[in-house]
């Protein structure tokens, strides 16, 4: 049993958020001490992952869906999972839209969005159709192919840092807690939910997960601080793609390429692809197991992908995207914090029942 | 040796005559062995009769003492039960003796010389290894493996496959090293499809239930016993086909694209270096033509301005879009590769010269394609052949076109999408219960 690919997938899914949506939200949410919201988010994640994995480890061989339906019955499980489904769908739509627009703006200004997002959705469909364990295996390939680009695009702009922008480092009022953007940042949590759907021999232990969260925390900090240290908070919050702008500030003599932000787009779209594909395959499994047991996997997926594609065309602009992100953050809080706690409590309750 | 009712022998005789009367190499001869008269039935092309007779005469046929028959190890005596079995024996090159008083014997004779001896390999060029190669004879091949690998864990199962024409195959694996699931799945498929005809390698993969359309071969073929032994040690199942001088190791995994088993003969550092080079060549041969089109026509702003100008300059006067340009030259390149493969060795260099030097030079000077394209495509072709086997290279050669077309439409994003698709495709492949993206086929280290 080699769990390495699972670890890699866990890592990549978080990186996907770090390369889209997460850093700009963190910057907007706090006016000083940006490491605080990031740290808080990761502490919460640590806690939730602990509960989630604990619940799963009690019942090896069962997925979260089995656990829910055992504890709450079929209809109860459907009710519990429904917000999660909506969250996953919205998340997938938003991410796809965000990345298609990014690809169009930076790489293909003349190609219409419907073409770039078509190929995006088609690839995700293919990945999700093949299933979660295929995605887990594929994550190794992803890692080898994209990691150089990821590191490159994160670190090239280090030369332009202005260290003074790091101050002030402490926000005594915790003002970010009152900003909705802080909660939008919790989309990064969606990266651990897949652990509950994997075959049990591929599950990782909490210790490993905790170490990973630590590594990811470092990456998240870098992603937030790179634009901050280059532009300063006042400027950075006005960018739609701060990381991308940061990589545009450098001019490397020894690279044959001039337009360095394309590296950023390549890595962020690659990561986005794997995240959307994994979330889609989760969505498919949930729909199949709880709502449509008779339908064929591939048809469910095809319909979901059609909706996804249509929804992406329907979102008019980035402003609307913001609105949806706010709506989605409530669902996100439920799905990534509430849901694991429910799963944990249900297993606890069930164990008592079994003992009695 | 068996005694039958003379009437039965009569019917056997007429049956044989009837069945094989149009086969000109089927003979019936009266022979005398140890003073007794027999009728010998055999295929002239498969049996060396004079030699067999002289051996039989030396031994002498003692019909009363069966022990003497058994003591001669090269002779095999079977009791034929039916006419059909006699046919099969004859077709496999045995000699049938019918005597007076209903005496019937099937004898393993001296065979006519039809196999070539063990020689050095023709399609592979090993550097530091044993140089003997497989031949067409199944038993010789098995013997070669046995000789290279002295182990009681080496299991060799011989089976016959096919209904109209029967093919002998041997299933070879190392007990305890090969995963039991892999052996089981191969055996199951062989049993299920035992009646399928087996004449080509594709038949073999179909019998094993591998998908019909794959981008990469699901097996590794090798002409070298040395390499086959390494494959066995790596936990693969090897299938040898009679009259086929290659061994097929199942299942292939992703690392077989860039590692040959003979690498282990070199120092570790060299091995890592060579494998890294091959890995890089895999990536280059897939992406280079696509990258050319991307940087030329879709995303030229990616390049540094000086370089972009150089690229544009080299295409000055070329009348068509870079995709067409690339496709044209690629087609020419494929033609050269195909043309040189089957040519006799003394004409091959001519084609290379015409294709490479004359055409390459002329096509650029005529401003039909750009200089840069020639460089790129040649680099791509060379890196393609740096891969470990010809079979792997063909798949990569094919996929190159997909990358080319997609990236001409979607630029760098298309290139990325094509690479992502191929990763997903590889991840979804599973042959003989082993996922294609595994580290190794051995024991517990395999994924899943």
């Amino acid at each position: 049993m080699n769990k390495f690919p699972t670890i890699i997938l866990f890592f990549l899914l978080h990186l996907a958020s770090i390369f889209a949506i997460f850093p700009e939200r963190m910057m907007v949410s706090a006016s000083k001490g940006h490491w605080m919201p990031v740290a808080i988010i990761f502490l919460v994640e640590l806690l939730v992952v602990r509960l989630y994995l604990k619940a799963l480890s009690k019942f090896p061989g069962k997925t979260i869906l089995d656990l829910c339906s055992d504890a709450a019955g079929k209809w109860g499980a459907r009710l519990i999972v429904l917000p999660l489904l909506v969250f996953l769908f919205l998340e997938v739509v938003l991410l796809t839209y965000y990345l298609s627009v990014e690809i169009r703006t930076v790489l293909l200004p003349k190609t219409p969005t419907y073409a770039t997002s078509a190929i995006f959705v088609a690839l995700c469909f293919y990945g999700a159709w093949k299933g979660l364990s295929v995605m887990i295996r594929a994550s190794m390939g992803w890692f080898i192919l994209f990691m150089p680009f990821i590191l490159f695009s994160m670190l090239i702009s280090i030369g332009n840092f202005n260290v003074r922008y790091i101050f002030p480092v402490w926000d005594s009022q915790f003002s970010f807690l009152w900003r909705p953007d802080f909660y939008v940042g919790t989309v990064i949590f969606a990266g651990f939910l897949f652990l509950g759907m994997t075959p049990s021999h591929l599950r990782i232990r909490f210790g490993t997960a905790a170490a990973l969260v630590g590594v990811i925390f470092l990456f998240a900090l870098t992603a937030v601080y790179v634009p901050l240290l280059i532009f300063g908070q006042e400027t950075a919050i006005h960018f739609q793609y701060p990381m991308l702008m940061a990589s545009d500030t450098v001019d490397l003599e020894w690279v044959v390429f001039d337009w360095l932000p394309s590296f950023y787009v390549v890595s962020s779209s690659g990561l986005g692809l794997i995240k959307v594909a994994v979330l889609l395959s989760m969505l498919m499994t949930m729909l199949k197991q709880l709502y449509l047991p008779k339908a064929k996997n591939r048809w469910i997926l095809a319909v979901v992908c059609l909706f996804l594609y249509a929804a992406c065309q329907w979102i008019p602009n980035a402003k609307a995207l913001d609105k949806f992100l706010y709506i989605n953050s409530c669902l996100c809080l439920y799905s990534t914090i509430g849901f694991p706690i429910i799963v944990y409590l249900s297993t606890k309750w069930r164990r008592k029942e079994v003992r009695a | 040796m068996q005694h039958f009712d003379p009437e039965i022998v009569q019917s056997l005789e007429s049956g044989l005559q009837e069945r094989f009367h149009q086969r000109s190499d089927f003979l019936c001869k009266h022979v005398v062995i140890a003073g007794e008269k027999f009728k010998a039935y055999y295929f002239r092309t498969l049996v060396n009769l004079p030699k067999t007779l002289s051996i039989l005469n030396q031994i002498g046929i003692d019909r009363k003492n069966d022990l003497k028959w058994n003591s001669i190890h090269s002779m095999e005596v079977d009791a034929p039960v039916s006419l059909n079995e006699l046919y099969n024996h004859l077709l496999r090159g045995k000699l049938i003796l019918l005597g007076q008083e209903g005496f019937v014997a099937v004898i393993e004779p001296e065979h006519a010389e039809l196999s070539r001896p063990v020689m050095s390999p023709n399609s592979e060029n090993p550097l530091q290894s044993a140089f003997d190669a497989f031949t067409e004879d199944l038993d010789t091949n098995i013997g070669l493996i046995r000789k290279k690998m002295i182990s009681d864990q080496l299991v060799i199962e011989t089976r016959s496959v096919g209904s109209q024409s029967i093919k002998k195959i041997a299933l070879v694996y190392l007990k305890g090293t090969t995963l039991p699931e892999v052996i089981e799945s191969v055996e199951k498929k062989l049993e299920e499809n035992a009646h399928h005809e087996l004449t080509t390698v594709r038949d073999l993969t179909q019998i094993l239930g591998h998908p019909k359309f794959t981008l990469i071969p699901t097996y590794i073929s090798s002409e070298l016993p040395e390499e086959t032994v390494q494959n066995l040690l790596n936990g693969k199942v090897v299938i040898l086909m009679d009259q086929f001088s290659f061994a097929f190791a199942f299942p292939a995994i992703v690392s077989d694209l860039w590692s040959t088993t003979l690498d282990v003969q070199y120092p570790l550092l060299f091995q890592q270096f060579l494998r890294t080079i091959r890995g890089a060549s895999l990536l280059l041969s897939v992406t280079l033509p696509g990258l050319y089109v991307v940087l030329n026509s879709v995303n030229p702003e990616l390049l540094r301005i000086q370089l972009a100008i150089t690229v544009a300059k080299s295409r000055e006067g070329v009348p068509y879009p870079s995709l067409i340009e690339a496709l044209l030259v690629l087609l020419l390149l494929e033609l050269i590769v195909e043309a040189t493969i089957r040519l006799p060795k003394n004409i091959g260099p001519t084609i290379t010269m015409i294709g490479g030097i004359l055409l390459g030079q002329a096509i650029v000077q005529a401003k039909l394609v750009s200089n840069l394209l020639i460089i790129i495509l040649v680099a791509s072709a060379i890196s393609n052949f740096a891969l470990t086997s010809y079979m792997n290279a063909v798949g990569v050669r094919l996929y190159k076109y997909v990358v080319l077309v997609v990236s001409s439409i979607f630029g760098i994003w298309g290139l990325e999408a094509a690479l992502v698709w191929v990763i997903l495709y590889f991840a979804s492949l599973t042959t003989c219960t082993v996922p294609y993206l595994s580290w190794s086929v051995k024991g517990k280290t395999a994924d899943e």
Side-chain angles (χ1 to χ4, degrees), chain A residues 1-2 5 103 106-108 111 115-116 119-120 123 126-127 130 133-135 137-138 140-142 145-146 201-202 251-253 255-259 262 265-266 269-270 273, chain B residues 283 291 295 298-299 301-305 307 406 409-414 416-421 423-430 435-439 444-448:
Chain A
M1 314 298 156
N2 195 338
I103 291 167
V106 181
L107 296 177
L108 300 164
T111 317
T116 45
I119 198 170
F120 193 97
L123 274 176
Y126 184 74
K130 293 291 177 184
S133 32
V134 167
M135 296 302 304
R137 259 181 260 140
M140 275 315 291
W142 242 276
L145 202 62
F146 289 112
H201 64 269
L202 287 177
D251 181 33
L252 294 181
E253 284 290 327
V255 188
V256 291
F257 296 105
D258 194 34
W259 183 226
S262 52
V265 178
V266 164
S269 56
L273 269 174
Chain B
L283 206 61
L291 206 59
L295 294 179
V298 193
N299 296 120
E301 76 277 4
L302 287 177
L303 283 178
R304 208 157 261 288
I305 187 74
L307 199 61
V406 178
I409 302 172
F410 290 106
I412 199 96
W413 159 239
E416 181 193 350
L419 288 183
V420 161
W421 183 82
I423 291 181
L424 281 174
Y425 172 73
F426 280 170
S428 68
L429 269 186
T430 303
Y436 189 65
L437 291 187
S438 316
W439 292 120
K444 280 187 175 172
T445 45
D447 292 345
E448 293 268 308

Side-chain angles (χ1 to χ4, degrees), chain A residues 179-192:
Chain A
R179 302 243 171 90
D181 291 289
F182 171 68
Y183 296 100
V184 172
T186 52
V187 288
I188 199 173
F189 289 173
F192 73 80

Side-chain angles (χ1 to χ4, degrees), chain A residues 84-102:
Chain A
L84 182 60
L85 274 182
V86 179
F87 160 68
L88 284 180
F89 185 70
L90 273 178
E91 166 77 9
V92 164
V93 171
L94 297 178
L95 201 59
T96 311
Y97 178 76
Y98 181 91
L99 290 172
S100 320
V101 170
E102 188 186 78

Side-chain angles (χ1 to χ4, degrees), chain A residues 59 242 257 290:
Chain A
F59 298 93
F257 296 105
L290 290 177

Side-chain angles (χ1 to χ4, degrees), chain B residues 273-287:
Chain B
F273 172 67
L274 293 175
R275 288 191 176 170
T276 318
I277 296 246
R278 287 193 209 115
S281 78
L282 172 68
L283 206 61
L284 281 182
S285 63
V286 171
T287 53

Side-chain angles (χ1 to χ4, degrees), chain B residues 375-405:
Chain B
I375 299 173
I376 294 260
L377 290 191
V378 167
S380 152
I382 291 175
S383 52
N384 193 324
F385 289 113
L387 290 179
T388 48
S389 82
Y390 179 70
M391 295 302 289
N392 290 332
V394 177
V396 174
R397 227 162 98 189
L398 242 160
Y399 195 63
K400 186 168 70 184
Y401 291 97
V402 179
V403 176
L404 186 67
V405 171

